[in-house]
């Protein structure tokens, strides 16, 4: 059997889709280690994997999380985490490293240790037809001119990264789109834009939800087929008026429509059609009810 190391960023929407895959690998007899932030320890250990916690606690996200500030944050985090991550990986001696498509330190670690790697895409896959937010473009250049401090921080971290580690082959800018010979995409090919332009290295495995703990606060007895689940993503705030319009427009399409409300309190949406249920709402990675979020798309 093999030893497989997962490396991920500390966001529910990136960790949760990998958990059923990890559980299945463990069930088949593989040894799985999982490098992540301390907040995700319980969920990951429940799969049977061994948790390797990043030093320094939670990984901070830039505020606001613009493409330029994300570049700075990902590069700086990579320089900070890599020494400890490499120490763990050298002890564990994995046969494969699976890293998030935004996890630069996972890709550099695989290169540094000469270990095969796979990339995990929990958003759409990106290419020329479906551009990544951090792809080199006039829009990114214009944003960079307005945030020179973040640009300097990014360039400083990249220089340090190349000085200390084997970072050859890493994208110079597009750190949300780090590809490998095998790329797992957690969406269906039916929903992937321009799917015909992706080669066989992209495997569209569909939603990876798996078994979830029962949440007695969720009104499961109200669900009527067909059930439609919709999420705009929960990293960014969503205006209650926008979410209400979104929910109302979707209501005729489903027997029950569940709308993820992100960091917006569902009560702020006001009256909704009878078949619409406001979904999970996250604030600082915690549900608005004060508990940890278990939504497959919560960030």
């Amino acid at each position: 059997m093999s030893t497989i190391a997962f490396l991920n960023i500390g966001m529910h929407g990136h960790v949760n889709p990998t958990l059923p895959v990890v559980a299945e690998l463990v069930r088949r007899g593989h040894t799985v280690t999982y490098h992540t932030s301390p907040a995700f320890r319980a969920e990951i250990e429940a799969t049977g994997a061994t948790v390797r916690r990043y030093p320094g606690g939670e990984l901070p996200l830039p505020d606001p999380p613009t493409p330029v500030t994300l570049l700075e944050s990902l590069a700086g985090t990579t320089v900070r985490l890599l020494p400890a991550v490499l120490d763990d990986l050298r002890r564990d001696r994995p046969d494969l490293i699976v890293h998030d498509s935004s996890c630069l330190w996972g890709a550099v670690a695989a290169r540094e240790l000469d270990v095969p790697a796979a990339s995990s895409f929990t958003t759409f896959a990106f290419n020329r037809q479906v551009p990544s937010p951090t792809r080199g473009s006039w829009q990114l250049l214009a944003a960079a001119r307005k945030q020179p401090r973040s640009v300097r921080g990014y360039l400083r971290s990249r220089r340090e990264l190349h000085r200390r580690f084997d970072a050859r082959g890493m994208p110079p800018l597009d750190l949300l789109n780090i590809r490998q010979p095998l790329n797992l995409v957690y969406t269906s090919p039916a929903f992937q834009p321009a799917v015909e332009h992706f080669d066989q290295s992209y495997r569209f495995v569909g939603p990876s939800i798996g078994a979830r703990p029962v949440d007695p606060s969720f009104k499961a007895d109200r669900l009527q087929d067909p059930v439609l689940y919709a999420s705009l993503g929960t990293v960014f705030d969503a205006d209650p008026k926008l979410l209400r319009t979104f929910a109302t427009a979707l209501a005729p399409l489903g027997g029950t429509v569940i709308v993820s409300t992100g960091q917006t309190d569902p009560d702020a949406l006001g009256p909704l059609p009878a078949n619409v249920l406001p979904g999970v709402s996250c604030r600082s990675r915690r549900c608005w009810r004060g508990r940890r979020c278990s939504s497959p798309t919560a960030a």
Side-chain angles (χ1 to χ4, degrees), residues 107-119:
V108 175
R111 178 86 185 192
E112 181 83 8
L113 301 176
D114 194 24
V115 174
S119 188

Side-chain angles (χ1 to χ4, degrees), residues 119-132:
S119 188
S120 173
F121 284 78
T122 54
T123 61
F124 291 124
F126 300 117
N127 62 5
R128 293 182 64 181
Q129 289 76 26
V130 189
S132 160

Side-chain angles (χ1 to χ4, degrees), residues 204-268:
F204 294 91
V205 299
S208 179
I209 298 174
R212 298 286 174 183
V214 175
D215 181 357
S217 68
F218 184 74
K219 302 172 184 177
D221 59 332
R222 286 182 54 187
L223 299 182
Q224 299 291 329
D225 290 333
V227 177
L228 173 63
Y229 176 78
S231 173
L232 297 176
T234 52
V235 175
F236 303 101
D237 289 324
D239 178 74
K241 183 178 179 181
L242 171 63
L243 286 171
R244 184 169 58 252
T245 301
F246 184 50
T248 303
L250 291 174
L253 303 180
T256 302
V257 178
I258 304 169
V259 177
S260 180
T261 58
Q263 299 179 48
T264 301
D265 189 329
D267 292 340

Side-chain angles (χ1 to χ4, degrees), residues 63-80:
D63 186 16
T66 67
V68 175
T69 58
L70 281 171
L71 287 174
E72 178 190 20
S73 177
L74 290 170
T77 299
T78 300
V79 173
R80 179 171 63 84

Side-chain angles (χ1 to χ4, degrees), residues 183-201:
N183 302 286
L184 305 177
V185 188
Y186 297 110
T187 191
S188 164
F191 288 98
Q192 170 66 46
V195 67
E196 68 276 7
H197 293 282
F198 291 90
D199 60 31
Q200 290 301 309
S201 69

